[in-house]
mmCIF file with all atom_site columns, all heavy atoms in Angstrom:
data_model
loop_
_atom_site.group_PDB
_atom_site.id
_atom_site.type_symbol
_atom_site.label_atom_id
_atom_site.label_alt_id
_atom_site.label_comp_id
_atom_site.label_asym_id
_atom_site.label_entity_id
_atom_site.label_seq_id
_atom_site.pdbx_PDB_ins_code
_atom_site.Cartn_x
_atom_site.Cartn_y
_atom_site.Cartn_z
_atom_site.occupancy
_atom_site.B_iso_or_equiv
_atom_site.pdbx_formal_charge
_atom_site.auth_seq_id
_atom_site.auth_comp_id
_atom_site.auth_asym_id
_atom_site.auth_atom_id
_atom_site.pdbx_PDB_model_num
ATOM 1   N N   . ARG A 1 1  ? 31.136 -11.873 -78.985 1.00 0.00 ? 1  ARG A N   1
ATOM 2   C CA  . ARG A 1 1  ? 32.621 -11.658 -78.638 1.00 0.00 ? 1  ARG A CA  1
ATOM 3   C C   . ARG A 1 1  ? 32.704 -10.938 -77.362 1.00 0.00 ? 1  ARG A C   1
ATOM 4   O O   . ARG A 1 1  ? 33.759 -11.135 -76.696 1.00 0.00 ? 1  ARG A O   1
ATOM 5   C CB  . ARG A 1 1  ? 33.191 -10.795 -79.823 1.00 0.00 ? 1  ARG A CB  1
ATOM 6   C CG  . ARG A 1 1  ? 33.272 -11.360 -81.244 1.00 0.00 ? 1  ARG A CG  1
ATOM 7   C CD  . ARG A 1 1  ? 34.250 -12.592 -81.079 1.00 0.00 ? 1  ARG A CD  1
ATOM 8   N NE  . ARG A 1 1  ? 34.655 -13.085 -82.333 1.00 0.00 ? 1  ARG A NE  1
ATOM 9   C CZ  . ARG A 1 1  ? 35.634 -14.053 -82.457 1.00 0.00 ? 1  ARG A CZ  1
ATOM 10  N NH1 . ARG A 1 1  ? 36.148 -14.635 -81.535 1.00 0.00 ? 1  ARG A NH1 1
ATOM 11  N NH2 . ARG A 1 1  ? 35.867 -14.533 -83.806 1.00 0.00 ? 1  ARG A NH2 1
ATOM 12  N N   . LEU A 1 2  ? 31.623 -10.210 -76.757 1.00 0.00 ? 2  LEU A N   1
ATOM 13  C CA  . LEU A 1 2  ? 31.936 -9.434  -75.690 1.00 0.00 ? 2  LEU A CA  1
ATOM 14  C C   . LEU A 1 2  ? 32.338 -10.327 -74.452 1.00 0.00 ? 2  LEU A C   1
ATOM 15  O O   . LEU A 1 2  ? 33.162 -9.765  -73.553 1.00 0.00 ? 2  LEU A O   1
ATOM 16  C CB  . LEU A 1 2  ? 30.628 -8.636  -75.213 1.00 0.00 ? 2  LEU A CB  1
ATOM 17  C CG  . LEU A 1 2  ? 30.446 -7.387  -76.196 1.00 0.00 ? 2  LEU A CG  1
ATOM 18  C CD1 . LEU A 1 2  ? 29.129 -6.788  -75.880 1.00 0.00 ? 2  LEU A CD1 1
ATOM 19  C CD2 . LEU A 1 2  ? 31.480 -6.345  -75.930 1.00 0.00 ? 2  LEU A CD2 1
ATOM 20  N N   . PRO A 1 3  ? 31.845 -11.614 -74.271 1.00 0.00 ? 3  PRO A N   1
ATOM 21  C CA  . PRO A 1 3  ? 32.395 -12.341 -73.073 1.00 0.00 ? 3  PRO A CA  1
ATOM 22  C C   . PRO A 1 3  ? 33.836 -12.635 -73.166 1.00 0.00 ? 3  PRO A C   1
ATOM 23  O O   . PRO A 1 3  ? 34.384 -13.041 -72.066 1.00 0.00 ? 3  PRO A O   1
ATOM 24  C CB  . PRO A 1 3  ? 31.561 -13.612 -73.140 1.00 0.00 ? 3  PRO A CB  1
ATOM 25  C CG  . PRO A 1 3  ? 30.311 -13.158 -73.908 1.00 0.00 ? 3  PRO A CG  1
ATOM 26  C CD  . PRO A 1 3  ? 30.825 -12.282 -74.955 1.00 0.00 ? 3  PRO A CD  1
ATOM 27  N N   . GLN A 1 4  ? 34.386 -12.557 -74.390 1.00 0.00 ? 4  GLN A N   1
ATOM 28  C CA  . GLN A 1 4  ? 35.884 -12.832 -74.436 1.00 0.00 ? 4  GLN A CA  1
ATOM 29  C C   . GLN A 1 4  ? 36.698 -11.727 -74.186 1.00 0.00 ? 4  GLN A C   1
ATOM 30  O O   . GLN A 1 4  ? 37.969 -11.856 -74.213 1.00 0.00 ? 4  GLN A O   1
ATOM 31  C CB  . GLN A 1 4  ? 36.152 -13.328 -75.976 1.00 0.00 ? 4  GLN A CB  1
ATOM 32  C CG  . GLN A 1 4  ? 35.300 -14.516 -76.317 1.00 0.00 ? 4  GLN A CG  1
ATOM 33  C CD  . GLN A 1 4  ? 35.478 -14.831 -77.894 1.00 0.00 ? 4  GLN A CD  1
ATOM 34  O OE1 . GLN A 1 4  ? 36.441 -14.593 -78.471 1.00 0.00 ? 4  GLN A OE1 1
ATOM 35  N NE2 . GLN A 1 4  ? 34.324 -15.425 -78.468 1.00 0.00 ? 4  GLN A NE2 1
ATOM 36  N N   . VAL A 1 5  ? 36.190 -10.549 -73.755 1.00 0.00 ? 5  VAL A N   1
ATOM 37  C CA  . VAL A 1 5  ? 36.934 -9.336  -73.374 1.00 0.00 ? 5  VAL A CA  1
ATOM 38  C C   . VAL A 1 5  ? 37.252 -9.445  -71.989 1.00 0.00 ? 5  VAL A C   1
ATOM 39  O O   . VAL A 1 5  ? 36.282 -9.467  -71.268 1.00 0.00 ? 5  VAL A O   1
ATOM 40  C CB  . VAL A 1 5  ? 36.254 -8.119  -73.783 1.00 0.00 ? 5  VAL A CB  1
ATOM 41  C CG1 . VAL A 1 5  ? 37.249 -6.913  -73.522 1.00 0.00 ? 5  VAL A CG1 1
ATOM 42  C CG2 . VAL A 1 5  ? 35.925 -8.049  -75.284 1.00 0.00 ? 5  VAL A CG2 1
ATOM 43  N N   . LYS A 1 6  ? 38.521 -9.416  -71.535 1.00 0.00 ? 6  LYS A N   1
ATOM 44  C CA  . LYS A 1 6  ? 38.806 -9.427  -70.181 1.00 0.00 ? 6  LYS A CA  1
ATOM 45  C C   . LYS A 1 6  ? 38.170 -8.257  -69.372 1.00 0.00 ? 6  LYS A C   1
ATOM 46  O O   . LYS A 1 6  ? 38.246 -7.171  -69.767 1.00 0.00 ? 6  LYS A O   1
ATOM 47  C CB  . LYS A 1 6  ? 40.275 -9.524  -69.913 1.00 0.00 ? 6  LYS A CB  1
ATOM 48  C CG  . LYS A 1 6  ? 40.939 -10.740 -70.502 1.00 0.00 ? 6  LYS A CG  1
ATOM 49  C CD  . LYS A 1 6  ? 42.451 -10.685 -70.647 1.00 0.00 ? 6  LYS A CD  1
ATOM 50  C CE  . LYS A 1 6  ? 43.174 -10.514 -69.260 1.00 0.00 ? 6  LYS A CE  1
ATOM 51  N NZ  . LYS A 1 6  ? 44.624 -10.583 -69.393 1.00 0.00 ? 6  LYS A NZ  1
ATOM 52  N N   . LEU A 1 7  ? 37.706 -8.581  -68.144 1.00 0.00 ? 7  LEU A N   1
ATOM 53  C CA  . LEU A 1 7  ? 37.071 -7.411  -67.384 1.00 0.00 ? 7  LEU A CA  1
ATOM 54  C C   . LEU A 1 7  ? 38.030 -6.402  -67.077 1.00 0.00 ? 7  LEU A C   1
ATOM 55  O O   . LEU A 1 7  ? 37.613 -5.220  -66.968 1.00 0.00 ? 7  LEU A O   1
ATOM 56  C CB  . LEU A 1 7  ? 36.418 -8.172  -66.143 1.00 0.00 ? 7  LEU A CB  1
ATOM 57  C CG  . LEU A 1 7  ? 35.238 -9.063  -66.327 1.00 0.00 ? 7  LEU A CG  1
ATOM 58  C CD1 . LEU A 1 7  ? 34.859 -9.689  -65.063 1.00 0.00 ? 7  LEU A CD1 1
ATOM 59  C CD2 . LEU A 1 7  ? 34.163 -8.357  -67.091 1.00 0.00 ? 7  LEU A CD2 1
ATOM 60  N N   . VAL A 1 8  ? 39.278 -6.793  -66.798 1.00 0.00 ? 8  VAL A N   1
ATOM 61  C CA  . VAL A 1 8  ? 40.277 -5.661  -66.523 1.00 0.00 ? 8  VAL A CA  1
ATOM 62  C C   . VAL A 1 8  ? 40.392 -4.712  -67.697 1.00 0.00 ? 8  VAL A C   1
ATOM 63  O O   . VAL A 1 8  ? 40.768 -3.564  -67.530 1.00 0.00 ? 8  VAL A O   1
ATOM 64  C CB  . VAL A 1 8  ? 41.634 -6.432  -66.080 1.00 0.00 ? 8  VAL A CB  1
ATOM 65  C CG1 . VAL A 1 8  ? 42.323 -7.186  -67.242 1.00 0.00 ? 8  VAL A CG1 1
ATOM 66  C CG2 . VAL A 1 8  ? 42.650 -5.308  -65.538 1.00 0.00 ? 8  VAL A CG2 1
ATOM 67  N N   . ASP A 1 9  ? 40.347 -5.399  -69.082 1.00 0.00 ? 9  ASP A N   1
ATOM 68  C CA  . ASP A 1 9  ? 40.449 -4.443  -70.162 1.00 0.00 ? 9  ASP A CA  1
ATOM 69  C C   . ASP A 1 9  ? 39.268 -3.651  -70.356 1.00 0.00 ? 9  ASP A C   1
ATOM 70  O O   . ASP A 1 9  ? 39.344 -2.537  -70.728 1.00 0.00 ? 9  ASP A O   1
ATOM 71  C CB  . ASP A 1 9  ? 40.757 -5.409  -71.432 1.00 0.00 ? 9  ASP A CB  1
ATOM 72  C CG  . ASP A 1 9  ? 42.135 -6.007  -71.308 1.00 0.00 ? 9  ASP A CG  1
ATOM 73  O OD1 . ASP A 1 9  ? 42.972 -5.388  -70.761 1.00 0.00 ? 9  ASP A OD1 1
ATOM 74  O OD2 . ASP A 1 9  ? 42.272 -7.016  -72.008 1.00 0.00 ? 9  ASP A OD2 1
ATOM 75  N N   . VAL A 1 10 ? 37.954 -4.210  -69.953 1.00 0.00 ? 10 VAL A N   1
ATOM 76  C CA  . VAL A 1 10 ? 36.879 -3.408  -70.154 1.00 0.00 ? 10 VAL A CA  1
ATOM 77  C C   . VAL A 1 10 ? 36.928 -2.277  -69.282 1.00 0.00 ? 10 VAL A C   1
ATOM 78  O O   . VAL A 1 10 ? 36.648 -1.044  -69.598 1.00 0.00 ? 10 VAL A O   1
ATOM 79  C CB  . VAL A 1 10 ? 35.681 -4.315  -69.820 1.00 0.00 ? 10 VAL A CB  1
ATOM 80  C CG1 . VAL A 1 10 ? 34.287 -3.410  -69.729 1.00 0.00 ? 10 VAL A CG1 1
ATOM 81  C CG2 . VAL A 1 10 ? 35.534 -5.438  -70.863 1.00 0.00 ? 10 VAL A CG2 1
ATOM 82  N N   . LYS A 1 11 ? 37.278 -2.382  -68.068 1.00 0.00 ? 11 LYS A N   1
ATOM 83  C CA  . LYS A 1 11 ? 37.525 -1.411  -67.046 1.00 0.00 ? 11 LYS A CA  1
ATOM 84  C C   . LYS A 1 11 ? 38.550 -0.284  -67.487 1.00 0.00 ? 11 LYS A C   1
ATOM 85  O O   . LYS A 1 11 ? 38.335 0.831   -67.447 1.00 0.00 ? 11 LYS A O   1
ATOM 86  C CB  . LYS A 1 11 ? 37.909 -1.768  -65.590 1.00 0.00 ? 11 LYS A CB  1
ATOM 87  C CG  . LYS A 1 11 ? 38.027 -0.702  -64.706 1.00 0.00 ? 11 LYS A CG  1
ATOM 88  C CD  . LYS A 1 11 ? 38.375 -1.301  -63.196 1.00 0.00 ? 11 LYS A CD  1
ATOM 89  C CE  . LYS A 1 11 ? 38.509 -0.084  -62.247 1.00 0.00 ? 11 LYS A CE  1
ATOM 90  N NZ  . LYS A 1 11 ? 38.840 -0.568  -61.046 1.00 0.00 ? 11 LYS A NZ  1
ATOM 91  N N   . ARG A 1 12 ? 39.698 -0.720  -68.086 1.00 0.00 ? 12 ARG A N   1
ATOM 92  C CA  . ARG A 1 12 ? 40.781 0.038   -68.404 1.00 0.00 ? 12 ARG A CA  1
ATOM 93  C C   . ARG A 1 12 ? 40.237 0.921   -69.680 1.00 0.00 ? 12 ARG A C   1
ATOM 94  O O   . ARG A 1 12 ? 40.690 2.088   -69.807 1.00 0.00 ? 12 ARG A O   1
ATOM 95  C CB  . ARG A 1 12 ? 41.961 -0.799  -68.767 1.00 0.00 ? 12 ARG A CB  1
ATOM 96  C CG  . ARG A 1 12 ? 43.091 0.031   -69.363 1.00 0.00 ? 12 ARG A CG  1
ATOM 97  C CD  . ARG A 1 12 ? 44.320 -0.870  -69.135 1.00 0.00 ? 12 ARG A CD  1
ATOM 98  N NE  . ARG A 1 12 ? 44.268 -2.153  -69.892 1.00 0.00 ? 12 ARG A NE  1
ATOM 99  C CZ  . ARG A 1 12 ? 44.848 -2.349  -71.109 1.00 0.00 ? 12 ARG A CZ  1
ATOM 100 N NH1 . ARG A 1 12 ? 45.383 -1.390  -71.818 1.00 0.00 ? 12 ARG A NH1 1
ATOM 101 N NH2 . ARG A 1 12 ? 44.688 -3.519  -71.788 1.00 0.00 ? 12 ARG A NH2 1
ATOM 102 N N   . TRP A 1 13 ? 39.492 0.392   -70.559 1.00 0.00 ? 13 TRP A N   1
ATOM 103 C CA  . TRP A 1 13 ? 39.049 1.049   -71.827 1.00 0.00 ? 13 TRP A CA  1
ATOM 104 C C   . TRP A 1 13 ? 37.735 1.916   -71.716 1.00 0.00 ? 13 TRP A C   1
ATOM 105 O O   . TRP A 1 13 ? 37.448 2.637   -72.528 1.00 0.00 ? 13 TRP A O   1
ATOM 106 C CB  . TRP A 1 13 ? 38.965 0.105   -72.992 1.00 0.00 ? 13 TRP A CB  1
ATOM 107 C CG  . TRP A 1 13 ? 40.247 -0.725  -73.390 1.00 0.00 ? 13 TRP A CG  1
ATOM 108 C CD1 . TRP A 1 13 ? 41.411 -0.088  -73.170 1.00 0.00 ? 13 TRP A CD1 1
ATOM 109 C CD2 . TRP A 1 13 ? 40.299 -1.995  -73.816 1.00 0.00 ? 13 TRP A CD2 1
ATOM 110 N NE1 . TRP A 1 13 ? 42.386 -1.038  -73.684 1.00 0.00 ? 13 TRP A NE1 1
ATOM 111 C CE2 . TRP A 1 13 ? 41.765 -2.245  -74.125 1.00 0.00 ? 13 TRP A CE2 1
ATOM 112 C CE3 . TRP A 1 13 ? 39.492 -3.017  -74.188 1.00 0.00 ? 13 TRP A CE3 1
ATOM 113 C CZ2 . TRP A 1 13 ? 42.205 -3.385  -74.607 1.00 0.00 ? 13 TRP A CZ2 1
ATOM 114 C CZ3 . TRP A 1 13 ? 39.955 -4.160  -74.662 1.00 0.00 ? 13 TRP A CZ3 1
ATOM 115 C CH2 . TRP A 1 13 ? 41.308 -4.371  -74.876 1.00 0.00 ? 13 TRP A CH2 1
ATOM 116 N N   . THR A 1 14 ? 37.040 1.630   -70.669 1.00 0.00 ? 14 THR A N   1
ATOM 117 C CA  . THR A 1 14 ? 35.752 2.370   -70.484 1.00 0.00 ? 14 THR A CA  1
ATOM 118 C C   . THR A 1 14 ? 35.912 3.903   -70.331 1.00 0.00 ? 14 THR A C   1
ATOM 119 O O   . THR A 1 14 ? 36.630 4.361   -69.433 1.00 0.00 ? 14 THR A O   1
ATOM 120 C CB  . THR A 1 14 ? 35.029 1.711   -69.277 1.00 0.00 ? 14 THR A CB  1
ATOM 121 O OG1 . THR A 1 14 ? 34.626 0.386   -69.644 1.00 0.00 ? 14 THR A OG1 1
ATOM 122 C CG2 . THR A 1 14 ? 33.595 2.566   -69.139 1.00 0.00 ? 14 THR A CG2 1
ATOM 123 N N   . LYS A 1 15 ? 35.135 4.589   -71.166 1.00 0.00 ? 15 LYS A N   1
ATOM 124 C CA  . LYS A 1 15 ? 35.203 6.106   -71.103 1.00 0.00 ? 15 LYS A CA  1
ATOM 125 C C   . LYS A 1 15 ? 34.069 6.457   -70.014 1.00 0.00 ? 15 LYS A C   1
ATOM 126 O O   . LYS A 1 15 ? 32.892 6.066   -70.199 1.00 0.00 ? 15 LYS A O   1
ATOM 127 C CB  . LYS A 1 15 ? 34.896 6.761   -72.392 1.00 0.00 ? 15 LYS A CB  1
ATOM 128 C CG  . LYS A 1 15 ? 36.007 6.558   -73.441 1.00 0.00 ? 15 LYS A CG  1
ATOM 129 C CD  . LYS A 1 15 ? 35.778 7.175   -74.727 1.00 0.00 ? 15 LYS A CD  1
ATOM 130 C CE  . LYS A 1 15 ? 36.713 6.924   -75.852 1.00 0.00 ? 15 LYS A CE  1
ATOM 131 N NZ  . LYS A 1 15 ? 38.091 7.411   -75.492 1.00 0.00 ? 15 LYS A NZ  1
ATOM 132 N N   . ARG A 1 16 ? 34.534 7.388   -69.106 1.00 0.00 ? 16 ARG A N   1
ATOM 133 C CA  . ARG A 1 16 ? 33.516 7.822   -68.059 1.00 0.00 ? 16 ARG A CA  1
ATOM 134 C C   . ARG A 1 16 ? 33.202 9.282   -68.168 1.00 0.00 ? 16 ARG A C   1
ATOM 135 O O   . ARG A 1 16 ? 34.050 10.016  -68.553 1.00 0.00 ? 16 ARG A O   1
ATOM 136 C CB  . ARG A 1 16 ? 34.161 7.357   -66.658 1.00 0.00 ? 16 ARG A CB  1
ATOM 137 C CG  . ARG A 1 16 ? 34.283 5.896   -66.499 1.00 0.00 ? 16 ARG A CG  1
ATOM 138 C CD  . ARG A 1 16 ? 34.917 5.534   -65.332 1.00 0.00 ? 16 ARG A CD  1
ATOM 139 N NE  . ARG A 1 16 ? 35.278 4.124   -65.054 1.00 0.00 ? 16 ARG A NE  1
ATOM 140 C CZ  . ARG A 1 16 ? 34.437 3.215   -64.701 1.00 0.00 ? 16 ARG A CZ  1
ATOM 141 N NH1 . ARG A 1 16 ? 33.294 3.594   -64.300 1.00 0.00 ? 16 ARG A NH1 1
ATOM 142 N NH2 . ARG A 1 16 ? 34.629 1.873   -64.681 1.00 0.00 ? 16 ARG A NH2 1
ATOM 143 N N   . GLY A 1 17 ? 32.167 9.686   -67.701 1.00 0.00 ? 17 GLY A N   1
ATOM 144 C CA  . GLY A 1 17 ? 31.762 11.170  -67.648 1.00 0.00 ? 17 GLY A CA  1
ATOM 145 C C   . GLY A 1 17 ? 31.631 11.655  -69.073 1.00 0.00 ? 17 GLY A C   1
ATOM 146 O O   . GLY A 1 17 ? 31.730 12.834  -69.280 1.00 0.00 ? 17 GLY A O   1
ATOM 147 N N   . VAL A 1 18 ? 31.143 10.814  -69.989 1.00 0.00 ? 18 VAL A N   1
ATOM 148 C CA  . VAL A 1 18 ? 31.018 11.218  -71.271 1.00 0.00 ? 18 VAL A CA  1
ATOM 149 C C   . VAL A 1 18 ? 29.732 12.162  -71.459 1.00 0.00 ? 18 VAL A C   1
ATOM 150 O O   . VAL A 1 18 ? 28.704 12.004  -70.918 1.00 0.00 ? 18 VAL A O   1
ATOM 151 C CB  . VAL A 1 18 ? 30.821 10.029  -72.241 1.00 0.00 ? 18 VAL A CB  1
ATOM 152 C CG1 . VAL A 1 18 ? 30.362 10.483  -73.692 1.00 0.00 ? 18 VAL A CG1 1
ATOM 153 C CG2 . VAL A 1 18 ? 32.035 9.275   -72.296 1.00 0.00 ? 18 VAL A CG2 1
ATOM 154 N N   . ALA A 1 19 ? 30.000 13.261  -72.201 1.00 0.00 ? 19 ALA A N   1
ATOM 155 C CA  . ALA A 1 19 ? 28.784 14.275  -72.580 1.00 0.00 ? 19 ALA A CA  1
ATOM 156 C C   . ALA A 1 19 ? 28.011 13.622  -73.716 1.00 0.00 ? 19 ALA A C   1
ATOM 157 O O   . ALA A 1 19 ? 28.491 13.407  -74.867 1.00 0.00 ? 19 ALA A O   1
ATOM 158 C CB  . ALA A 1 19 ? 29.309 15.569  -73.025 1.00 0.00 ? 19 ALA A CB  1
ATOM 159 N N   . TRP A 1 20 ? 26.751 13.256  -73.390 1.00 0.00 ? 20 TRP A N   1
ATOM 160 C CA  . TRP A 1 20 ? 25.848 12.619  -74.462 1.00 0.00 ? 20 TRP A CA  1
ATOM 161 C C   . TRP A 1 20 ? 25.604 13.537  -75.668 1.00 0.00 ? 20 TRP A C   1
ATOM 162 O O   . TRP A 1 20 ? 25.437 12.929  -76.724 1.00 0.00 ? 20 TRP A O   1
ATOM 163 C CB  . TRP A 1 20 ? 24.582 12.126  -73.833 1.00 0.00 ? 20 TRP A CB  1
ATOM 164 C CG  . TRP A 1 20 ? 24.686 11.259  -72.592 1.00 0.00 ? 20 TRP A CG  1
ATOM 165 C CD1 . TRP A 1 20 ? 24.254 11.358  -71.295 1.00 0.00 ? 20 TRP A CD1 1
ATOM 166 C CD2 . TRP A 1 20 ? 25.564 10.049  -72.521 1.00 0.00 ? 20 TRP A CD2 1
ATOM 167 N NE1 . TRP A 1 20 ? 24.673 10.278  -70.568 1.00 0.00 ? 20 TRP A NE1 1
ATOM 168 C CE2 . TRP A 1 20 ? 25.495 9.508   -71.218 1.00 0.00 ? 20 TRP A CE2 1
ATOM 169 C CE3 . TRP A 1 20 ? 26.322 9.263   -73.622 1.00 0.00 ? 20 TRP A CE3 1
ATOM 170 C CZ2 . TRP A 1 20 ? 26.025 8.352   -70.862 1.00 0.00 ? 20 TRP A CZ2 1
ATOM 171 C CZ3 . TRP A 1 20 ? 26.911 8.129   -73.075 1.00 0.00 ? 20 TRP A CZ3 1
ATOM 172 C CH2 . TRP A 1 20 ? 26.837 7.627   -71.834 1.00 0.00 ? 20 TRP A CH2 1
ATOM 173 N N   . ASP A 1 21 ? 25.677 14.703  -75.504 1.00 0.00 ? 21 ASP A N   1
ATOM 174 C CA  . ASP A 1 21 ? 25.464 15.643  -76.714 1.00 0.00 ? 21 ASP A CA  1
ATOM 175 C C   . ASP A 1 21 ? 26.628 15.377  -77.562 1.00 0.00 ? 21 ASP A C   1
ATOM 176 O O   . ASP A 1 21 ? 26.401 15.465  -78.815 1.00 0.00 ? 21 ASP A O   1
ATOM 177 C CB  . ASP A 1 21 ? 25.322 17.103  -76.230 1.00 0.00 ? 21 ASP A CB  1
ATOM 178 C CG  . ASP A 1 21 ? 24.008 17.272  -75.550 1.00 0.00 ? 21 ASP A CG  1
ATOM 179 O OD1 . ASP A 1 21 ? 23.122 16.547  -75.729 1.00 0.00 ? 21 ASP A OD1 1
ATOM 180 O OD2 . ASP A 1 21 ? 23.863 18.415  -74.876 1.00 0.00 ? 21 ASP A OD2 1
ATOM 181 N N   . ASP A 1 22 ? 27.774 15.307  -77.011 1.00 0.00 ? 22 ASP A N   1
ATOM 182 C CA  . ASP A 1 22 ? 29.037 15.096  -77.882 1.00 0.00 ? 22 ASP A CA  1
ATOM 183 C C   . ASP A 1 22 ? 28.841 13.744  -78.637 1.00 0.00 ? 22 ASP A C   1
ATOM 184 O O   . ASP A 1 22 ? 29.322 13.656  -79.840 1.00 0.00 ? 22 ASP A O   1
ATOM 185 C CB  . ASP A 1 22 ? 30.224 15.161  -77.033 1.00 0.00 ? 22 ASP A CB  1
ATOM 186 C CG  . ASP A 1 22 ? 31.451 15.271  -77.895 1.00 0.00 ? 22 ASP A CG  1
ATOM 187 O OD1 . ASP A 1 22 ? 31.632 16.046  -78.753 1.00 0.00 ? 22 ASP A OD1 1
ATOM 188 O OD2 . ASP A 1 22 ? 32.314 14.310  -77.698 1.00 0.00 ? 22 ASP A OD2 1
ATOM 189 N N   . VAL A 1 23 ? 28.287 12.679  -78.000 1.00 0.00 ? 23 VAL A N   1
ATOM 190 C CA  . VAL A 1 23 ? 28.290 11.444  -78.623 1.00 0.00 ? 23 VAL A CA  1
ATOM 191 C C   . VAL A 1 23 ? 27.318 11.571  -79.761 1.00 0.00 ? 23 VAL A C   1
ATOM 192 O O   . VAL A 1 23 ? 27.433 10.955  -80.900 1.00 0.00 ? 23 VAL A O   1
ATOM 193 C CB  . VAL A 1 23 ? 27.708 10.318  -77.552 1.00 0.00 ? 23 VAL A CB  1
ATOM 194 C CG1 . VAL A 1 23 ? 27.425 9.067   -78.354 1.00 0.00 ? 23 VAL A CG1 1
ATOM 195 C CG2 . VAL A 1 23 ? 28.731 10.134  -76.428 1.00 0.00 ? 23 VAL A CG2 1
ATOM 196 N N   . ALA A 1 24 ? 26.184 12.244  -79.524 1.00 0.00 ? 24 ALA A N   1
ATOM 197 C CA  . ALA A 1 24 ? 25.100 12.523  -80.641 1.00 0.00 ? 24 ALA A CA  1
ATOM 198 C C   . ALA A 1 24 ? 25.658 13.238  -81.811 1.00 0.00 ? 24 ALA A C   1
ATOM 199 O O   . ALA A 1 24 ? 25.407 12.931  -83.020 1.00 0.00 ? 24 ALA A O   1
ATOM 200 C CB  . ALA A 1 24 ? 23.950 13.105  -80.050 1.00 0.00 ? 24 ALA A CB  1
ATOM 201 N N   . TRP A 1 25 ? 26.506 14.215  -81.530 1.00 0.00 ? 25 TRP A N   1
ATOM 202 C CA  . TRP A 1 25 ? 27.124 15.017  -82.620 1.00 0.00 ? 25 TRP A CA  1
ATOM 203 C C   . TRP A 1 25 ? 28.217 14.480  -83.328 1.00 0.00 ? 25 TRP A C   1
ATOM 204 O O   . TRP A 1 25 ? 28.355 14.600  -84.551 1.00 0.00 ? 25 TRP A O   1
ATOM 205 C CB  . TRP A 1 25 ? 27.463 16.368  -81.997 1.00 0.00 ? 25 TRP A CB  1
ATOM 206 C CG  . TRP A 1 25 ? 26.324 17.337  -81.899 1.00 0.00 ? 25 TRP A CG  1
ATOM 207 C CD1 . TRP A 1 25 ? 25.782 17.620  -80.746 1.00 0.00 ? 25 TRP A CD1 1
ATOM 208 C CD2 . TRP A 1 25 ? 25.669 18.114  -82.808 1.00 0.00 ? 25 TRP A CD2 1
ATOM 209 N NE1 . TRP A 1 25 ? 24.720 18.659  -80.918 1.00 0.00 ? 25 TRP A NE1 1
ATOM 210 C CE2 . TRP A 1 25 ? 24.642 18.819  -82.228 1.00 0.00 ? 25 TRP A CE2 1
ATOM 211 C CE3 . TRP A 1 25 ? 25.762 18.178  -84.320 1.00 0.00 ? 25 TRP A CE3 1
ATOM 212 C CZ2 . TRP A 1 25 ? 23.819 19.635  -82.897 1.00 0.00 ? 25 TRP A CZ2 1
ATOM 213 C CZ3 . TRP A 1 25 ? 24.846 18.963  -84.844 1.00 0.00 ? 25 TRP A CZ3 1
ATOM 214 C CH2 . TRP A 1 25 ? 23.929 19.775  -84.259 1.00 0.00 ? 25 TRP A CH2 1
ATOM 215 N N   . ARG A 1 26 ? 29.070 13.602  -82.708 1.00 0.00 ? 26 ARG A N   1
ATOM 216 C CA  . ARG A 1 26 ? 30.212 13.051  -83.189 1.00 0.00 ? 26 ARG A CA  1
ATOM 217 C C   . ARG A 1 26 ? 30.280 11.545  -82.988 1.00 0.00 ? 26 ARG A C   1
ATOM 218 O O   . ARG A 1 26 ? 31.221 11.070  -82.153 1.00 0.00 ? 26 ARG A O   1
ATOM 219 C CB  . ARG A 1 26 ? 31.503 13.662  -82.665 1.00 0.00 ? 26 ARG A CB  1
ATOM 220 C CG  . ARG A 1 26 ? 31.527 15.201  -82.903 1.00 0.00 ? 26 ARG A CG  1
ATOM 221 C CD  . ARG A 1 26 ? 32.909 15.841  -82.646 1.00 0.00 ? 26 ARG A CD  1
ATOM 222 N NE  . ARG A 1 26 ? 33.128 15.750  -81.166 1.00 0.00 ? 26 ARG A NE  1
ATOM 223 C CZ  . ARG A 1 26 ? 34.378 16.043  -80.630 1.00 0.00 ? 26 ARG A CZ  1
ATOM 224 N NH1 . ARG A 1 26 ? 35.394 16.453  -81.428 1.00 0.00 ? 26 ARG A NH1 1
ATOM 225 N NH2 . ARG A 1 26 ? 34.586 15.886  -79.322 1.00 0.00 ? 26 ARG A NH2 1
ATOM 226 N N   . PRO A 1 27 ? 29.379 10.653  -83.429 1.00 0.00 ? 27 PRO A N   1
ATOM 227 C CA  . PRO A 1 27 ? 29.326 9.343   -83.063 1.00 0.00 ? 27 PRO A CA  1
ATOM 228 C C   . PRO A 1 27 ? 30.348 8.582   -83.505 1.00 0.00 ? 27 PRO A C   1
ATOM 229 O O   . PRO A 1 27 ? 30.862 7.530   -82.917 1.00 0.00 ? 27 PRO A O   1
ATOM 230 C CB  . PRO A 1 27 ? 27.950 8.955   -83.753 1.00 0.00 ? 27 PRO A CB  1
ATOM 231 C CG  . PRO A 1 27 ? 27.811 9.922   -84.903 1.00 0.00 ? 27 PRO A CG  1
ATOM 232 C CD  . PRO A 1 27 ? 28.286 11.275  -84.343 1.00 0.00 ? 27 PRO A CD  1
#
């Protein structure tokens, strides 16, 4: 399904500067 996602939406939805410890604790 990933190729069907518009690139403009991928950019708009992408979270940046994420703390990896937070991802590990609250996946």
Side-chain angles (χ1 to χ4, degrees):
R1 291 295 189 177
L2 284 175
Q4 301 173 28
V5 186
K6 295 165 64 175
L7 294 178
V8 66
D9 288 335
V10 172
K11 180 179 181 180
R12 180 161 58 97
W13 293 331
T14 297
K15 298 180 181 296
R16 301 175 184 273
V18 169
W20 302 125
D21 288 343
D22 190 55
V23 176
W25 281 103
R26 299 188 298 172

